[in-house]
């Protein structure tokens, strides 16, 4: 076990404030100047079942939760059963003694204490915070301040309850863990918040969505911020409406974005193709969950990659990129918004539940974010699809006395429908030119993350799995080279060439190894082994480090 | 181009009802201009079908969208820049089969767009299959024994969905149609205009001309409107329903316009800084 | 020019009976015991514009039309202008002298003659048939019989008109062409008819469609035959309804098929994924036209390949195959219907306008067609998703006292929703096993068409382009090895291995070379050159043979 | 399993209105059995949402479909094997947003299925966004300032679309609901049953109980039905409309059943031979 990391796990029923307790814990750690990673595991239900949050914190940048926790707080029996093996060496488990008796662990009469208060169902979370506060040596005043800030409803009761719990735990494990303070407090955000903010920073004007886990919280975040930033945020009647509304908005010059998961994305593919031929700039956030079909809505997977890469009928350019960290999700969203406008073609930001809904401390240099600007029409005759060496026709938006026609049929430069053989291949060629322009552009950007190591093997990964891999390598003290392409289409093969015949290992979350195939097939990479996980759960760094070790040996 | 025509070759059948719609809209635009609606503020969308070819012929900006989906394009245009006046051309398959949900929701939202339904009661461009407005028993290539479905009633359907201006006109009565179009565009809210549009390979003009009738009196209440929609035959033309309620984009953000009043990068970054500092 | 081939081209406005005249010509040739290939070129409109049909006939099997025609009949000026370069050496062009005067060609007052009859618009086609009859030396009686059979409305007028035209042409070019008779008459069918019949032969029970060129005529053919074969054929409200209705029907044990083109297919991808996880046997006919989006509805292209191969979110098996000839379309449809039922997974029969809507003489051994039969549940406990070594769970259909649950969520063997980590990966593994079973099965089948040649180069192609290629090789007297995989997923790499490092040329109809990429990336094939065509038109064998020659040299 | 329950863990919130629907359907099945409908002939479909979890709990065969699309599964089942009785469970987002077109067309076709709409007026499973039946101004996570849309009226909407049995019941009135379900399944044609279904995180049972009222008299004509649908408040329960017209599968092929009366391979090949010889 990594002893620079402290992990807190809190588990209970949906509706008992598990996630909230988790994020209060995260804020406690971040307020201590520490780095934090929080993963929320929840079922597709509203009340009951079993949810838990795991927060790992360290004095240095940390990019994954650890499943072995130093402090486990379980609200109910089911939680105890689930997490019986999740206790780190020297860790402690605190359980609800009103629900059961246990040998290993410290029982607390959570239910009976909570029942003394009118909002009894909302007390458990407060209790978990109190337990954490006691074990990491917070004074009661400090704790009370946090409770006040974070649980503003029924403050007095909350403080009283917290105090009771604090007093119960203190004798057994008060001050048990010492957490060193860090340099400064950092904001904690989820991947979806990073995406939302990145989009706003990049110039977002309108967002369309239809709720779908794990993308829904982009809709929610943006809806909340709509007034503040002057955006239109619309929950439409279906994903088909969503993508076509976005294209309508793009026609007026509005920077439009949409977000969904696999099923909704499938419904958008005709619209994606429409964006291809109309050369409509539109950015789609595709946050993956295990498929096929409805699959496992609240868990994580990376099995929509192949679909995303060639979604939509016909030949056209789809830009596909996947952020490796929450911080990068911010920059990349702004960058993708810029790219789709620069290249007038649809883009897909591919991510996963694990990035979308996990939260972590981030440091973001806002000024570094891109601002989406298209090439604009200046003067002369206006032709919407004017042929240019780089394939990119200057844009113009209504109202204008010039005629601007976007056309779903094959068309001439003016945007008028054509069935003429020459014009058909001409316009294919015109659009196809954009790929080369894009590659030239991307060659100037840093679009593959490479960390040079000492081993003779390289680890390839992408998306949020990158975070798991980095943490696994650190906790396993392993030092291979790690390579994570951010752009998946076009795949930066020019950057991957050097690894071609080396000893390459891939780590990904797809049962058929979609990323492995991509690397082998598109980049011609020799891949010796793929470490896969496809049970809906993200990798645990400890387990993963052992697997990597095995493979590297 | 003063007559609002592009140079595109017109490929409607000789005698097609779409010519009437094309003429009427070209009549309507100058009238609207006189009433203060700038031509460059008018944008059009079309789905896919014979009706939609009007997109290529009409010298106005817009989107030639997917079959069944242009209503969503229209909504997206209006939401992003409410200064624009959107006229949405649709076929009956386009707007009431593939795209029914979008049409219903645009009406429900009272989106301030004008929806023109070219009702030829067939999928004309794909060789004449029965459509949501085809009479039961209609023999097309997909229903050689006659279709099994009762048609929708577009008037009562759209009133039900929430449209605030619901009218029927006829491609053979340019004057009536022009007038209805002008009223539809001027109306603030979702205007639904069904146009009886004969398709010559499938119908006879004479049958239309014989049967077309004017609604004597514009209904004044919801129930009167429903009664008229249900009890008059389907060649009855006129305004069936007219009412007012808030339009979607104003509900969304009063008079804000996300495109013309875009918040600058600097202000955005400041606000994001604030957002992050609270996190 | 190939002088074993005779080509007839007839052109005019939509609504003037051009296509009908073409197919009457085809029947004339087939009734002479000759082989025929007919390609109909038409615009996306109902009346007017310019349509033409080209029929090439030979004494041997012929697999393409030729654009250089021996006899060209133009109904109008536009047709003359369009086809001015389409006349073969020693060929003749017959034009409508009421519309224009021309130096090269024989003018006939078609319009003024036709105007003498009440159904004047329908006379042109009859005239074209009369011209053909005269030039190939038919007696008037023979001609009249054909007119009677083929134009049953207004027979007397038709015969009188035909006779007039016959008499006008005869002096100039009567008996000009001698067409040798062949051994026996063969039926002429379109690709879509072959698909429809193949499906019926394979056990089709229900077909759902939403009109979309070039797949619509499957719907029309099957609707016409529904009563005869006891099928349900339904024109539904959208492609989304179509695919989900098909899955509903499959649940009852009905062999279900759907058909569409790219845009409709895009809308079906969520349902495709549903078929993946529910293990619903459903066959999708995807007949391609130029994309993206609405593209060019009545023309041909092969640019939906990449999309078809990975359509639908999540990891699941999609069987994808593409028929190379009209005859094969018959067998392959039945075979695919069988395969989707054997493997309980969705299948895509990928084809193009060029195959769907072209017609040719075929010889089909009906008895050879497959009959779709699933592995059925026998006894014991019934579990819909029972794990088996081959990944295939036995089937059972309602009504049954056993409970049969098909589930769009990840599920256990009974079909009950699960979010359990172990069960999720277990069910992924269970489904993934089917790929290997399928590959083992396919290894026993002939699924790549290989014609061994003498050149040192190989030509790779697929789908209807195969027909163009064979004809091009024949007319150019070229003899490379040609290889056409019928199955594209799984791609039979075991069969392609031997060609890996040879000199390979690919011929396809996609502007970005999607098939080339597939061969390079999945099969690791060295590809020296790709001959592409993406103007919506099929290859002309003569032109193609010249291109091949260039490349081979 | 005589009480029609599977062993699956029930994950509805304690107090969820879906329990009432679950109980009512388990009451209804044995009554239907007494009336001669065999249990094994009953199949169910569900969309995605809280409502749909009933699929896992109810020990009947069927399809747990996609969000918004199970109505098409239901139609496909009925068309392929008309012997089956299909009960279709839907949420209000499932059936009236994502899936609106399918619901409308199933009604238009008078498909002989029973459509049960769990009306909780929210997207419950995705954390409470406003739905097509939510009151205007409803604050959910996608509409923090309140929704801008007027809700649909499911009774008049379905009458308009062509449903031949249209009723509303209440998850808190098991007897009424059971009875309506039995009537719905027995009715030949498209039966639409809206069930007022409180979702405890978003509503209070008490408010429902206070406001629920019985429709005094079943309307007898179309106009009476529309009047009742429009003028009674939305907690009014009872049968709003009942009529008869031909059902889709019978129009399609009288009494033929493609699954049970499948034509053999031999006969098919003979007929194909004939088809080809005419070509
Ligand atoms: C997704 C999709 N499905 C099908 C089509 C094919 N299609 C083109 S036009 C049309 C029907 C047009 O009917 P309607 O909307 O009534 O227009 P009309 O031709 O009658 O004016 C169809 C089905 C398509 N383009 N896209
Ligand atoms: C294509 C698609 N879009 C979105 C979702 C996510 N989703 C799951 S349930 C649901 C809403 C459910 O609302 P409703 O149908 O009213 O059912 P309830 O939960 O209220 O019973 C949504 C949007 C999905 N599964 N598939
Ligand atoms: S088919 Fe009908 S709608 Fe289409 S162009 Fe001809 S007349 Fe007009
Ligand atoms: S959220 Fe509402 S509908 Fe869903 S289980 Fe809870 S009470 Fe029932
Ligand atoms: Mg129409
Ligand atoms: Mg709901």
């Amino acid at each position: 076990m990594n002893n620079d990391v402290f992990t807190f796990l809190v588990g209970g029923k949906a509706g008992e404030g598990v996630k909230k307790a988790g994020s209060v814990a995260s804020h406690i750690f971040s307020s201590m100047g520490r780095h934090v990673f929080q993963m929320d595991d929840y079922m597709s239900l509203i009340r009951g079942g079993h949810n838990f949050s795991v927060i790992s914190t360290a004095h240095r940048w940390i990019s994954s939760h650890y499943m072995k926790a130093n402090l486990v707080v379980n609200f109910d029996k089911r939680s105890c059963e689930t997490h019986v093996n999740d206790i780190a060496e020297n860790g402690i488990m605190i359980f609800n003694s009103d629900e059961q008796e246990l040998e290993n662990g410290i029982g607390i009469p959570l239910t009976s204490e909570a029942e003394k208060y009118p909002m009894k169902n909302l007390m458990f979370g407060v209790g978990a915070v109190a337990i954490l506060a006691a074990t990491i040596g917070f004074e009661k005043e400090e704790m009370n301040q946090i409770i006040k800030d974070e649980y503003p409803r029924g403050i007095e009761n909350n403080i009283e309850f917290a105090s009771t719990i604090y007093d119960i735990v203190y004798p057994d494990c008060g001050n048990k863990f010492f957490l060193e303070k860090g340099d400064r407090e950092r904001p904690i955000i989820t991947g979806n918040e990073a995406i939302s903010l990145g989009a706003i920073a990049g110039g977002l004007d309108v967002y369309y969505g239809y709720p779908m886990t794990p993308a829904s919280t982009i809709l929610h975040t943006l809806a909340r911020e709509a007034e503040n930033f002057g955006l239109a945020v619309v929950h439409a009647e279906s994903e088909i409406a969503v993508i076509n509304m976005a294209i309508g908005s793009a026609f007026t010059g509005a920077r439009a974005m949409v977000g969904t998961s696999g099923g909704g994305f499938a419904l958008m593919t005709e619209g994606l193709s429409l964006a291809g031929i109309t050369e409509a700039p539109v950015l789609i956030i595709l946050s993956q969950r295990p498929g096929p079909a409805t699959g496992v809505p609240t868990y994580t997977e990376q099995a929509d990659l192949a679909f995303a890469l060639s979604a939509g009928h016909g030949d056209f350019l789809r830009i596909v990129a996947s952020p490796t960290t929450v911080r990068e999700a911010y920059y990349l969203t702004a960058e993708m918004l810029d790219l789709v406008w620069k290249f007038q073609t649809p883009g897909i930001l591919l991510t996963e539940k694990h990035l979308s809904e996990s939260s972590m401390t981030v440091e973001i240099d806002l000024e570094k974010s891109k601002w989406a600007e298209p090439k604009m029409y200046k003067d002369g005759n206006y032709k919407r699809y004017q042929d240019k060496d780089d394939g990119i026709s200057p844009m113009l938006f209504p109202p204008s006395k010039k005629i601007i026609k976007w056309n779903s049929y094959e068309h001439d430069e003016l945007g008028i429908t054509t069935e003429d053989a020459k014009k058909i291949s001409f316009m294919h060629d015109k659009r196809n030119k954009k790929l080369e322009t894009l590659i030239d552009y991307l060659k100037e950007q840093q679009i593959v993350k490479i960390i040079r190591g000492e081993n003779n093997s390289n680890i390839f990964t992408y998306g949020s799995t990158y975070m798991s891999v980095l943490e696994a390598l650190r906790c396993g003290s392993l030092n291979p080279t790690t390579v994570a392409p951010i752009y998946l289409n076009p795949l930066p093969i020019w950057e991957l060439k050097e690894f071609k015949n080396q000893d390459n290992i891939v780590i990904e979350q797809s049962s058929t190894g979609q990323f492995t195939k991509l690397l082998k097939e598109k980049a011609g990479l020799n891949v010796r082994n793929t470490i896969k996980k496809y049970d809906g759960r993200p990798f645990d760094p400890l387990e993963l480090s052992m697997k990597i070790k095995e493979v590297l040996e | 181009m003063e007559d609002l025509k592009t140079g595109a070759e017109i490929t409607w059948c000789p005698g097609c009802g779409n010519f009437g719609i094309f003429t009427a809209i070209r009549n309507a635009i100058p009238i609207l201009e006189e009433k203060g609606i700038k031509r460059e503020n008018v944008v059009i969308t079309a789905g896919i079908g014979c009706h939609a070819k009007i997109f290529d012929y009409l010298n106005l900006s817009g989107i030639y969208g997917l079959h069944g989906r242009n209503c969503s394009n229209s909504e997206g245009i209006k939401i992003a820049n409410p200064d624009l006046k959107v006229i949405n051309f649709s076929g009956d398959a386009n707007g009431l089969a593939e795209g029914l949900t979008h049409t219903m929701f645009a009406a429900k939202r009272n989106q301030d767009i004008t929806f023109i339904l070219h009702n030829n009661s067939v999928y004309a461009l794909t060789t004449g299959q029965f459509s949501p407005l085809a009479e039961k028993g209609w023999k097309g290539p997909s229903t050689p024994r006659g279709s099994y479905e009762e048609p929708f009633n577009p008037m009562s359907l759209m009133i039900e969905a929430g449209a605030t201006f619901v009218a029927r006109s006829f491609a053979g009565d340019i004057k009536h149609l022009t007038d209805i179009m002008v009223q539809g565009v001027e109306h603030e809210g979702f205007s639904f205009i069904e146009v009886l549009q004969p398709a010559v390979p499938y119908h006879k003009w004479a049958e239309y001309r014989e049967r077309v009738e004017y609604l004597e009196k514009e209904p004044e209440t919801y129930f009167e409107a429903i009664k008229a929609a249900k009890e008059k035959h389907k060649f009855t033309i006129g305004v069936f329903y007219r009412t007012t309620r808030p339009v979607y984009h104003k509900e969304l953000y009063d008079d804000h316009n996300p495109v013309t009043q875009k918040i600058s990068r600097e202000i955005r970054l400041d606000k994001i800084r604030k957002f992050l500092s609270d996190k």
Side-chain angles (χ1 to χ4, degrees), chain A residues 270, chain B residues 48-51 67 91-94 98 120 122-126:
Chain A
E270 194 196 13
Chain B
I48 299 298
C50 288
H51 65 280
H67 178 61
D92 47 339
N94 188 77
E98 187 81 80
N120 54 17
V122 283
Y123 289 50
L125 186 58
T126 51

Side-chain angles (χ1 to χ4, degrees), chain A residues 267-466:
Chain A
L267 291 168
M268 291 184 184
T269 54
E270 194 196 13
L272 193 74
S273 184
L274 176 64
I277 199 164
T278 54
E279 307 193 34
V282 51
L283 179 57
I284 301 174
I285 311 296
L286 165 49
S287 182
Q288 299 163 93
R289 62 197 217 185
T294 311
V296 199
T298 59
Y299 289 86
T300 202
E301 198 172 81
Q302 297 185 298
D304 300 347
L305 171 61
F307 185 31
L309 290 171
S310 55
H313 55 296
D315 278 324
F316 65 95
L317 175 60
R318 306 123 177 111
I319 312 178
V320 183
S322 184
T324 53
T325 65
V326 170
R327 176 170 175 260
E328 191 171 81
Y330 171 88
Y331 294 122
L332 190 59
T333 307
E335 184 173 307
M336 284 288 283
L337 203 59
D338 184 35
L339 281 185
V340 301
W341 279 90
K342 274 205 169 54
F343 291 88
Q344 297 180 41
T345 204
I348 300 163
L349 187 97
L350 186 68
T351 186
E352 311 85 10
K353 185 265 175 185
H354 186 50
L355 187 133
S356 276
E357 300 199 337
S358 295
S359 37
M360 65 192 288
T361 38
V362 291
E363 287 170 273
I364 296 179
D365 181 352
L366 297 185
E367 296 299 334
K368 275 200 187 156
S369 45
K370 291 268 167 62
W371 177 252
E373 287 284 13
K375 179 161 88 178
M376 288 298 295
Y377 156 83
K378 296 245 171 53
D379 44 33
N381 239 340
Y382 179 73
K383 292 180 178 173
R384 165 65 186 115
Y385 298 111
Q386 188 174 18
D387 190 29
K388 292 279 177 185
D389 286 347
D390 58 4
I392 298 163
S393 316
M395 297 192 96
L396 181 63
F397 306 112
S400 161
K401 290 210 170 16
K402 312 265 171 193
I403 299 301
I404 309 157
K405 284 188 178 282
W406 290 22
N407 195 339
S408 140
Y409 277 102
E410 197 52 278
H411 43 254
D412 62 16
E413 286 182 278
L414 291 169
I416 302 280
T417 304
T418 189
E419 294 173 290
D420 178 79
K422 281 216 188 66
K423 288 184 188 160
I424 294 170
S425 44
F426 172 85
M427 208 37 87
H428 275 63
D429 288 335
K430 185 255 173 199
R431 284 190 298 269
N432 286 345
K433 279 191 260 181
K434 293 197 261 187
L435 174 61
E436 259 189 61
T437 316
L438 175 61
I439 289 178
D440 288 345
Y441 178 85
L442 290 178
K443 280 188 174 162
E444 306 297 309
Q445 320 293 316
Q446 202 241 333
I447 63 166
V448 181
K449 282 194 159 165
I450 304 182
I451 304 177
R452 304 278 165 183
E454 292 157 359
N455 275 62
N456 288 327
S457 305
N458 311 311
I459 304 259
F460 280 79
T461 187
Y462 81 110
S464 63
T465 308
Y466 180 73

Side-chain angles (χ1 to χ4, degrees), chain B residues 27-38:
Chain B
N27 290 345
I29 299 286
I31 299 175
L32 289 163
E33 287 183 290
E34 276 166 33
K35 289 173 179 263
I37 293 174
K38 287 206 194 112

Side-chain angles (χ1 to χ4, degrees), chain A residues 128-166:
Chain A
V129 172
I131 294 166
L132 174 67
T135 54
I136 61 172
F138 267 42
E139 299 292 324
K140 269 199 184 172
E141 288 73 55
E142 275 181 285
M143 171 182 83
N144 291 347
Q145 190 54 47
I146 293 161
I147 303 275
K148 261 189 212 159
D149 293 348
E150 300 279 357
Y151 295 97
R153 279 171 63 197
I155 292 186
E156 272 175 39
N157 286 341
N158 290 339
I159 289 184
E160 196 182 306
F161 180 73
S163 177
T164 313
I165 301 296
Y166 188 100

